[in-house]
Amino acid sequence: MARWARLDERRFIELMARLCAAPAGAVPRTLLGIGDDAAILRWPGGADLLFTTDFLTDGVHFRRAWMPGFLLGRKALAVNISDIAAMGGVPRVCVLSVGLPRDTVAAYARDVARGAADQARRHGVAIVGGDTCAAERLFVNVALLGSVRPGRAVRRSGARPGDGLYVTGGLGAAGAGLAVLERRHRAGTGRAAIRAHLDPDPRALLGRLLGESRVARAMIDLSDGLVQDLPRLCLASGVGAIVEEAAVPVARAAVGAVGPAQARALAISGGEDYELLFAARDADAQAIERLARLARLPITRIGQVVPPADGVRLLTGAGRYLPFARLPRGFVHFRGRN
C-alpha cells in the first residue's frame, strides 16, 4: 500500500478482495464476495443471503450541525437497504453500531436510535444487536442481512450490448440539497432537496420486483452518482454505455433548489440519490412499465449498453460525445469532492 501515490478506494477494495477470500468449505458458502452492492451467501437448503454494511461519519458523509439525530438514524438504515434493493433482495435483520463523541447530548443519541428503529419498522427489518463506544467523531455503522430466492440476486455483471439502461425516479435532488446546505447555491426554496439529501428513500419494493421478475440483467444503486456508478456496472459487465443527457430525469426538487442548468449537471455528477440504475432487454419494456406502476415510481430509459470498445460516454444535448472519465465527479472517497 505504501507504493500508492494516494489512498484510492478502488485499489483498497481490490486488496481486501484478495486478502479476504472465503476459505474452501465455509458455511454459508460465498457465491459473491467483495465488489458488488452486497455479498451473496448460500445456506444449505435455503435462500441466498445478501450481506452489506455502510458507515456514516461526521465530517465525511454528513455534518452534525445540520443532521438531526432522527434523520441520521433513518439514513444509516436507508443506505444499506438501498444496497439490498440493488441486488433484488429483501432486507431482513441488522446490527447497528454507534460511535459517540463525549460531548454528544443524550437526546441526540436517543434520536439516532429512534430514527433507525423507525426506518427498520418501515421496511420490516429487525435490529438484533450492535455496539456503542466513545469516539473522536460521531459515526453510525449498519451491517444488514437480506435474502433473495436462490439464483435471483441481480449482480452488476449481467449487462450485455444492446440492453437498455434505465433509472428510477429523478436525479440530482440530494446533490442540490447538499449545495444548499453548504450555501454554494441560494436559488429557490431548497427544502425538498435538503430533505432528499438528509432522508433518502431506498427503492426497496422496486428493487425486489426487478429481481424476482428477472427483468433487471444488471443493477446498482446510485450512491456516488451516475458518473461514477455507471462505469462500475460497465466494468463488472465488461461493456460500454451511451447515456443521452436529454433523457436523464432531473428531480423537480433539484430544479427548485439550484436552477435547471445546475440541476441537470447534478443529475449526472451528484451522489446520494439512492435511485436504481439497471440494464434490461428492450423486449422487457412492457414489463418495466408494469413494474413502475406496481411500485408507483417512474422508470426512465436513459441510454444503451454498447460493446466495451465504445467506452462509457455521454451524448450531450449539443450532439457531442463526452467520455464519462472527463465529466466532473462529486464525492470521491479519500479525496473529498472534486
Side-chain angles (χ1 to χ4, degrees):
M1 294 173 64
R3 72 179 184 276
W4 297 354
R6 61 173 70 182
L7 191 55
D8 178 271
E9 180 190 20
R10 178 181 60 81
R11 289 179 176 176
F12 182 77
I13 292 173
E14 289 173 350
L15 175 65
M16 290 296 295
R18 292 196 301 272
L19 295 176
C20 301
V27 177
R29 186 159 63 94
T30 302
L31 302 184
L32 181 67
I34 295 171
D36 215 303
D37 289 285
I40 307 174
L41 311 176
R42 176 166 292 172
W43 287 97
D48 289 350
L49 303 182
L50 305 172
F51 199 18
T52 188
T53 186
D54 265 301
F55 262 100
L56 295 182
T57 305
D58 187 15
V60 179
H61 305 98
F62 67 93
R63 294 186 191 174
R64 184 165 36 154
W66 65 49
M67 173 64 88
F70 185 81
L71 295 186
L72 176 58
R74 279 178 56 90
K75 187 169 183 176
L77 263 291
V79 300
N80 285 273
I81 291 168
S82 182
D83 281 336
I84 299 297
M87 305 293 293
V90 180
R92 298 296 188 185
V93 298
C94 75
V95 292
L96 173 74
S97 297
V98 184
L100 299 168
R102 297 186 188 278
D103 65 351
T104 304
V105 177
Y108 190 93
R110 286 195 297 269
D111 283 346
V112 172
R114 288 171 179 153
D118 178 76
Q119 191 76 279
R121 284 192 298 270
R122 181 170 176 246
H123 290 279
V125 174
I127 301 177
V128 297
D131 193 18
T132 58
C133 67
E136 293 297 320
R137 286 186 174 188
L138 173 65
F139 71 82
V140 183
N141 173 245
V142 170
L144 176 63
L145 194 66
S147 66
V148 65
R149 290 171 60 187
R152 294 293 179 94
V154 185
R155 308 184 185 196
R156 298 177 183 179
S157 55
R160 297 293 179 265
D163 289 348
L165 282 173
Y166 297 84
V167 71
T168 65
L171 305 182
L178 178 60
V180 173
L181 287 167
E182 292 182 334
R183 301 187 185 279
R184 291 184 286 122
H185 292 276
R186 299 175 181 271
T189 60
R191 183 173 298 178
I194 291 172
R195 185 77 187 199
H197 176 73
L198 298 181
D199 190 22
D201 186 11
R203 305 312 190 183
L205 173 59
L206 187 51
R208 176 173 63 82
L209 293 173
L210 286 166
E212 289 180 350
S213 64
R214 295 187 172 178
V215 166
R217 304 237 284 176
M219 187 156 55
I220 189 171
D221 73 326
L222 294 177
S223 56
D224 292 329
L226 183 64
V227 74
Q228 295 189 71
D229 290 323
L230 174 57
R232 290 168 180 158
L233 184 148
C234 290
L235 180 64
S237 293
V239 296
I242 301 294
V243 171
E244 298 175 25
E245 182 180 29
V248 175
V250 180
R252 190 178 306 171
V255 176
V258 299
Q262 186 63 15
R264 180 159 296 280
L266 287 170
I268 295 169
S269 66
E272 296 202 277
D273 285 312
Y274 296 101
E275 297 290 352
L276 297 175
L277 170 71
F278 64 95
R281 302 176 184 88
D282 285 341
D284 287 326
Q286 288 187 340
I288 291 169
E289 292 178 4
R290 179 176 58 84
L291 295 180
R293 289 194 298 271
L294 284 173
R296 298 182 180 180
L297 187 68
I299 300 176
T300 306
R301 192 183 196 279
I302 63 169
Q304 186 169 350
V305 179
V306 297
D310 292 341
V312 184
R313 295 181 292 166
L314 179 72
L315 176 59
T316 70
R320 296 175 57 208
Y321 285 95
L322 296 178
F324 264 48
R326 288 173 49 193
L327 297 175
R329 293 186 290 172
F331 183 84
V332 180
H333 294 280
F334 306 116
R335 271 182 272 174
R337 194 173 295 104
N338 279 6

